[in-house]
Amino acid sequence: MRGHFCPWKRRERMKQGELRRALLVATLLCVFLFVYLYWQQTADETPHLLYTYKHLYVPFRSAPAEQAPQWTWQCINQRCERQRIKSDVGDVASLATCSMLCGSTQLWPQPTGPVTLGSKAVTFNHRLLDFYSKTTGPANELLLAAFSIVNDSISGLVQNSDYIHQKTDITKFKIIVSILDATTVKLKLNTDESYTITLKPHGTELVGNITAKTFFGARHGLETLSQLIWWDEYHEGGTLKILKGATVQDNPMFAYRGLMVDTARNFMSMESLKRTIVGMASVKLNVFHWHVSDSQSFPLVLPNLPQLAKHGAYAPDLVYKPEEVKEMVEFAKVRGVRVIIEVDTPAHAGNGWTFGQDEGLGELAVCVNERPWSLYCGEPPCGQLNPDNPNVYDVLEKLYKDLISLTDENEIFHMGGDEVNLECWAQHLQKNSNYYNYTDLHDLWGDFTLKALNRLTAANGGKKVPHVIVWSSNLSKRPYITKYLDKENVVVQSWGASQWPDTPDLVSDGYKIIVSHVDAWYLDCGFGRWRETGDAACDPYRPWQTVYNHRPWQQLHLNKKQVMGGEVCLWSEQLEEGSLDPRLWPRAAAFAERVWTDPQLDMSTYTILEDVYTRLNTQRDRLVSKGIAAEALWPGWCKQNPGMCL
Ligand SMILES: *[C@@H]1O[C@H](CO)[C@@H](O)[C@H](O)[C@H]1NC(C)=O
Ligand SMILES: *[C@@H]1O[C@H](CO)[C@@H](O)[C@H](O)[C@H]1NC(C)=O
Ligand SMILES: *[C@@H]1O[C@H](CO)[C@@H](O)[C@H](O)[C@H]1NC(C)=O
Ligand SMILES: *[C@@H]1O[C@H](CO)[C@@H](O)[C@H](O)[C@H]1NC(C)=O
């Protein structure tokens, strides 16, 4: 977990400060006015949540082609072959239409249950969509929001609005959703996320019938159903098409399917984080792990501890406000994603925690910005909470309370807990402590952790949080682990290299784990080093094939029951939001199929089938159509000539 601070960037920001503030005020006024007007207008309708979400990236070819098409595709031996169109007459098929009807499912992630897909498509337009909820109760409200999202994403495929005047093959496209348990409105580890879809014509109508136990399964069903729809640019200037028939049964292999973003090394706007959640929803990832703070900065404004952001944000406008966080949690929930905010402690905590002296609370953190940094931390700047100051634990309890209430999440809590530098504490204690009696400072670390866990329970109204996640560290190794970490309560996120003994040791000691192996699932690696001293953080780059082919439960013979799931991590030393999308996508999508479907892996060859390449490419294009600047998988020629580049 490495860090970076750019002084030159900060200077630039200060020069722009005034303009920025003026713009911010103007923007806030506009937003306020908009919300007010919207509220007035909808005051007498049923209450409806307002979600703002802006497309960052507009693909180059967003307008229909002016000229007659050049290529047609023909399905030959389950593969679309590109052919030149020789005359204006005759049937021509676009690549999208050919691939939807030729061999592969084009679904991503591939469902785990049986799938049957029709070999014919029908034309329709988005105004023919009709959504029916067979659900009452609390789940219904979420479902209505999900309807509106899928409705928007289908209309988002339209490239030529005139198509609405064309004749269509069907008169209506009904989407009927039944949810059996109408009371589940919070995603938990044991939430049933399964669903079934049957899609078939009924007279002149097409009916898509989705059945699920919970809202969360139903939402995945809508996502899959939307993957059976595409824009056919060849059909009379373009039209929407959908398969004429389909059945799908699906259920994920792992309950915890996470994606972590670090917003402490470099700030990312709320907009960009929401875009990430949109991408996650489209591939059925379900935990957004937000590594919000680190020793470099503390951008989160906490209702009861605003001092942390005051002392720790890079600039007053580079912060996340409580109401923005709450809105994001709702935004994520209707997309089947829960948000977990991690304020890493006791290490990875420095800037921000310096408010203690001003308020008479003493030194809450020690070694802050201390140099030479390499003696006291893994990357500059240093900083670690002061285990010796009793006020630290009071502040932690307040912090935990705020995090639980902001995220409305108390089944899982991430405490951080990695990379404690014992030398930092040793120096501090020698100078300041009356009772320097620890012969092994791991015990001080362990005692800190136990105290922090007690404060977490107190912050949660006296009830233990069932699953407390900590990063793997020296404390999660023998002999300390069994002394300080209760396996009934603590889950270890194992981030070391897959060859390290950590992961198998944890499993054989009976701990539940979340896998985030650095050599496969760290997406920030491979961009060289950002400082002169020390190793290049974690080169080389992990290509999507490495991400996809990592199947540690098979490779390391782990008991799958103890693997809650996996998480891809994106540390932000070397990126800001401008490179957020391409660094995440499509690799996070490759990861999503690993944890949703967990396809077989041939460990003698590590070959990835052609079908995976084509489906992932289709998914990459879907992400782009949602305004996410996903990287290209390969040259355009390979996309146009399926199977020919392998
Ligand atoms: C779907 O979008 C259309 C506009 O394209 C809108 O008129 C309709 O009310 C929306 N339906 C739902 C359920 O959101
Ligand atoms: C939808 O599916 C459910 C469960 O399979 C079934 O009970 C119901 O009759 C179906 N509805 C339609 C309109 O096909
Ligand atoms: C963990 O402990 C080992 C052996 O005690 C030590 O060499 C290593 O530096 C420690 N790692 C960290 C990150 O403190
Ligand atoms: C060190 O001393 C403190 C205060 O006297 C005591 O609470 C703690 O248990 C001692 N720790 C060890 C490791 O002996």
Side-chain angles (χ1 to χ4, degrees), residues 419-422 442 445 474 477:
E419 295 189 313
V420 169
N421 183 301
L422 298 179
H442 283 95
W445 183 1
N474 271 358
K477 286 197 181 112

Side-chain angles (χ1 to χ4, degrees), residues 21 31 34 75 91 97 145 148 150 179 185 230 246 255 262 311 349 418 427 453 495 504 521 527 603 624 631:
R21 258 193 299 280
V31 169
F34 179 68
C75 183
D91 258 359
T97 296
S148 137
V150 73
I179 294 176
V185 288
W230 69 98
D262 163 15
H311 287 246
D418 59 317
Q427 293 280 335
L453 282 165
W495 67 270
W521 290 346
F527 293 84
M603 277 176 51
V624 169
E631 263 187 347

Side-chain angles (χ1 to χ4, degrees), residues 429-461:
L429 289 171
Q430 255 162 15
K431 272 186 276 174
N432 301 296
S433 178
N434 302 325
Y435 54 104
Y436 181 55
N437 57 357
Y438 289 91
T439 49
D440 179 352
L441 284 178
H442 283 95
D443 291 313
L444 174 59
W445 183 1
D447 285 345
F448 170 90
T449 306
L450 291 177
K451 284 187 198 162
L453 282 165
N454 282 337
R455 294 308 187 115
L456 176 60
T457 303
N460 191 38

